[in-house]
Amino acid sequence: ARSGTCAGCHGGDAAGSAAGPALTGGRWLWSDGSVAGIARVIDAGVAHPKPSAGAMPPKGGAPLSPGDVRAVAAYVWALNQAKR
């Protein structure tokens, strides 16, 4: 996630940008914050973003396998656990 397409919108430190919200801090716009919920959002994308300027294509526009989606979701989940 850090060097992939996610960082282009969510920032290299996952703190967000004008194009994509922060992936830290425990604020969930599209899921319940569970690994499964985060994975569903990554898999489906976000066609109509809430506070950000950019939409997210399914899988962030990257060729992610189902295992990759689960790994990215687990990483985002872990980022939020570290902040508590």
Side-chain angles (χ1 to χ4, degrees), residues 1-8 10-14 23-24 72 75-76 79:
R2 203 171 268 252
S3 63
T5 60
C6 306
H10 295 289
D13 58 0
L23 299 177
T24 60
V72 172
Y75 173 71
V76 171
L79 286 174

Side-chain angles (χ1 to χ4, degrees), residues 36-70:
I38 297 166
R40 281 190 296 275
V41 174
I42 294 167
D43 200 44
V46 176
H48 304 287
K50 292 179 183 179
S52 303
M56 184 178 91
K59 297 178 178 71
L64 301 177
S65 70
D68 292 337
V69 170
R70 287 190 301 275

